[in-house]
Amino acid sequence: MQKDNKKFLLVNTLGVHFFMNKRIPLRATALAALLACQPAFAADVVISQMYGAGGNNGATLRYDYVELFNRGSAAVAVGGWTIQYASASGTSWGRAELPAGTSIDAGKYFLVKLASNNTAVGADLAADFFSNSINMSGASGKVALVNNNTPLTGAQPSGASIQDVVGYGSANFSETAAAPAMSATTSLLRADNGCTDTNNNSADFTAVAPQFRSAASPANMCNNGPVPQPIVPVCPASAKLTFGAGGSIALSASDADGIVNGALITSTAVAGLSLGSVTPAQGIGGSASVSLVASPSVAAGTYPVAVKFTNDQGQDASCTVSLTVEMGAGSVVPVPQIQGSGATSPFNGVKLSTEGVVTAKVGSGFFIQDAAGDGDPNTSDGMFVYMGAAPVTVAVGDLVRVSGTVTEYKPSGATRSYTELSTVTSVVTQSTGNSVTPVNIDLLGTSLANVEGMLVRFPGALTVNATDSLGSRGELTLSVGRREIPTNRYPARSADAVALAAQNAANMITLDDGLFVTPASVPYLDQDGTVRTGYTVSGLTGVVDFGALGSGGAGFKLQPTEAPIFSRDNPRTAAPEVAAGNLKVASANVLNFFTTFMDGTDVLGQTGQGCTLGTGTSKANCRGADNMTEFVRQRDKIVAELKAVDADVVGLMEIQNNGDYATSYLVDSLNAAYGKAEYAYVPKPAATGTDAIRVAMIYKPAKVALVGGALSDAAAVNDRPPMAQTFKANNGAKFSVIVNHLKSKRCNGATGANTDQGDGQSCYNADRVAQAQQLADTFVPQVVAAAGDPDVLLIGDFNSYGMEDPIMLLTAADRQFRFENQLERFVRPNGMPHSYVFGGESGYLDHALASVAMSSQVAGAMEWNINADEPEVLDYNLDGKNAAAQSLYNALPYRASDHDPVVVSLNLAPSYVDVTASVQIQRSGVVQGRFSSVGTATAWITNTSGADLAAPVHYVLQGLPANVTLANASGYVNGMPYITAAPSLAAGAQASVQLQFNNPGRVAINYTPKVYNGSF
């Protein structure tokens, strides 16, 4: 779509006063031109070029522009002028005001960048000024240059303030005749590089490819009389002085037609740098002189000093001297002085020598520290000496003199720099056997920037908060206590969440291993071959470093000088320890359990296979294991995890969406580990989504039975539809489980409300809220109605931490089906609930939410922290690991996934109770036909409990002889036949039961009678 025609112009607040002082007066307009409303204007500053198709389809350039040119012989102040624009026949003019103080020298150009129709189309342009207030037509329109900020009015305005007008295309206002139309690839160019002005737009302008010029372009002096000659400064490009000695540098300037009589420094002031007295030129063409003076106090460093010379004609010209103040031979600058108290070293870029005791050696250099220090807590006494690939021959305890260049090293992703000595030219040992006493510091009470490079000790306990870079970089994230994700504990956007985020940001240091590459062997592992999040270390001693982190970004690190000793404060457990109940439900994220692999093979050994994502199938869509070798490692860990959990119902996330194949394969593998058919899978619902992964369920048929088929919600908002299944326990109780996997927090493709809002909930929170709304308002009521039972348990990976918007919605008190957070109920009182660790912070994305009716039947809930707290290097993957890291693998459940399983213990209220002790049972003998296999009898049940039995009363026959059956049985419960005796039985009332047996063997019929009250 092309841009709408809009209006614009340019103005100087000096108004008429300006014209009274112009070198070229405004010419009168011819009577014929007045009658035709076609004005003529003449001024020093004219419109020399313009382009109006910026950002249009097929446009050469991204922005419109108007180029101004001073065709006169003296500078013209144009600050406050406006460029004004109207459509071809328009009467309303838009304005772009030039900045105050703007001046255009004689023969020079000034480029004004204007609006764009689409900033994704065309090339950008470097302009002298940008204003987004004008959007020109790419074909026809009117442009005026005005010496004030008053908007023009009418289709054909007039007045002394108008300096120049260009009408183009079909414009109804121009000088004599309109210039040609422009296009997406052509601009209008005034002849003779802007010098020609015949007051005829048609004759003066030509449509050509854009060739805009700016103030940086060479001058184009029109034939308007003598051209003033410029001031010519004479300054050295660079100069050097010795630190502590001071000195001066001679500068001069001359002007062929003027007298240079002044000079001043225009660059940023530097303490100790100044100009001496100016000696003016003795006449026209003479030379003026001045000295750049440096006092002995000027700090070592390099300073670009700009000096401007002026003359008696109002001209000026500048030159820049790059002055370097460097250390003299033999000078030694103490480390604290090099570090300084600011964000960067006052000696940045300076070549110098310093001395210090070597406190630690690492892979690319060593640390030194001034043993005495300067006593200032704001200046570090230590620093890093970067040697690169050069050999490090010093030893810890050596006092060394090092010569090199002070550098501010800023790793990728860092927001600050780190002072170090690099480009080292010499390292000379002065003595050996020296020592530096570590400084005791508190992580929460110390600015690590003030102790960078220093030997320190943390006397208190630090807690391991992240282990994800242990295998790749030998790093552990440490903090005072465990850092909780703010929205795991407090609602997003709350003051408490904001405060916790700030506290977390200041509470972190990374324990490194002295190497900056993948370690040959993984450090810090304990006797179990792990170091878990939640372990602690006390008395940690080392040197404070700063650099890139394996997990991304950069931060402060500690290079240990003494071997850390970890306390196993968060030990592994062999199985989840949850309160006892009569049934157990769990959720497990199985981390992309695919039976088709990323190399195009599958578990059957077939090649050329692929995974389906949307409508496409290819091996590129597969996730998880790269090949069969990795898959076996993955499978065995997941089977070990699920077997140890030993839940009666398990919801699965991140399993391949290939029908029931991957789920059935996992069930077969799990049953093989049990040595019997312990589990079955819930057949998939009608919709499983178009993602490569889906949710699924497995269960123990001996403990629960399926009631109806699985349901799912294929609403458009659910890219991975939730799956529901109703179960019936052996005690007759029914309940429904809904497995969920909400939209990920990854920001790929996020737009609008789904972008990161900066509230701690990351991307796609809007989608997750919509999914939670759909779940609560539509799918849960559908599941409850189908089950005829309000007991519902929501489990799965909600990709939302404990107090984020989706969870707050589901647990809100005003909902029809309100859910209660079981992890907050059972885990929070005893510690921090967490199932996931990200960025060195812990929280839970995996949830157990019970409906109000269900919540009272929950005996306990927990996360089994076998995955999130374990180092990633222990997982099944082979790629990216050296042989030592690969050998750490075992088939134990630890690090089977990146999420921890959640386990819920239920005490389901039975749908029936044994009331045998509350009734009196009378039985007749069995009458067996002489020639028949049929036997009959009667039983009487009297309610002696003193209370009504309001539910159905069932007579149950326990222990009938083999081959004897109850022919008129109402049904079976736990393998025993029963007859429903009465829909209810009032206190003292009696019900009779007629019994008919099939007894082909004509044996004596004995059994134990039971009476149950309730629903089977």
Side-chain angles (χ1 to χ4, degrees), residues 40 163 253 313 364 768:
Q163 303 300 289
Q313 297 173 315
S364 59
R768 289 191 295 274

Side-chain angles (χ1 to χ4, degrees), residues 510-566:
T510 297
L511 175 63
D512 205 352
D513 63 347
L515 303 174
F516 306 116
V517 294
T518 300
S521 61
V522 180
Y524 307 133
L525 300 179
D526 65 9
Q527 60 265 41
D528 291 332
T530 187
V531 54
R532 287 168 52 86
T533 302
Y535 280 16
T536 60
V537 56
S538 297
L540 187 62
T541 304
V543 177
V544 177
D545 192 7
F546 183 86
L549 301 176
S551 55
F556 285 102
K557 302 197 259 188
L558 190 84
Q559 304 296 349
T561 56
E562 298 177 10
I565 300 175
F566 291 91

Side-chain angles (χ1 to χ4, degrees), residues 754-802:
N754 277 318
T755 57
D756 192 332
Q757 303 298 302
D759 58 3
Q761 300 184 99
S762 193
C763 293
Y764 291 103
N765 186 59
D767 275 4
R768 289 191 295 274
V769 169
Q771 289 173 325
Q773 191 90 45
Q774 174 72 13
L775 177 65
D777 294 347
T778 301
F779 192 47
V780 167
Q782 177 187 346
V783 172
V784 170
D789 191 285
D791 293 348
V792 179
L793 187 64
L794 304 181
I795 59 173
D797 179 1
F798 285 73
N799 273 310
S800 305
Y801 291 107

Side-chain angles (χ1 to χ4, degrees), residues 817-1011:
F817 291 101
R818 183 171 66 85
F819 288 84
E820 296 182 354
N821 190 327
Q822 302 304 308
L823 296 180
E824 289 295 321
R825 177 184 172 194
F826 289 102
V827 180
R828 176 72 71 183
N830 302 308
M832 179 195 304
H834 72 279
S835 67
Y836 196 72
V837 174
F838 181 77
E841 296 178 318
S842 300
Y844 64 104
L845 299 171
D846 307 270
H847 292 264
L849 307 176
S851 63
V852 173
M854 184 75 163
S855 187
S856 61
Q857 301 173 76
V858 175
M862 65 166 295
E863 303 118 334
W864 188 27
N865 302 130
I866 57 167
N867 294 325
D869 286 346
E870 294 282 343
E872 187 176 325
V873 70
L874 303 183
D875 69 13
Y876 70 86
N877 282 287
L878 292 168
D879 51 306
K881 297 177 183 176
N882 57 26
Q886 291 180 8
S887 68
L888 295 174
Y889 171 85
N890 58 48
L892 296 175
Y894 311 105
R895 200 63 193 187
S897 174
D898 54 347
H899 291 246
D900 291 325
V902 173
V903 185
V904 181
S905 175
L906 302 177
N907 258 332
L908 294 175
S911 61
Y912 56 86
V913 294
D914 185 343
V915 294
T916 305
S918 300
V919 299
Q920 181 185 62
I921 302 173
Q922 298 172 291
R923 295 187 290 169
S924 72
V926 177
V927 178
Q928 181 75 46
R930 182 177 296 181
F931 303 106
S932 170
S933 61
V934 176
T936 60
T938 302
W940 296 268
I941 305 170
T942 303
N943 182 358
T944 59
S945 66
D948 294 343
L949 299 176
V953 178
H954 309 284
Y955 185 72
V956 180
L957 290 74
Q958 178 179 300
L960 280 174
N963 297 322
V964 175
T965 60
L966 183 64
N968 64 335
S970 299
Y972 290 80
V973 58
N974 298 328
M976 299 178 291
Y978 70 89
I979 291 178
T980 302
S984 62
L985 196 61
Q990 185 180 79
S992 62
V993 181
Q994 301 299 316
L995 306 172
Q996 185 176 2
F997 300 98
N998 282 327
N999 185 13
R1002 300 173 65 82
V1003 299
I1005 298 178
N1006 295 307
Y1007 64 89
T1008 301
K1010 295 284 186 180
V1011 177

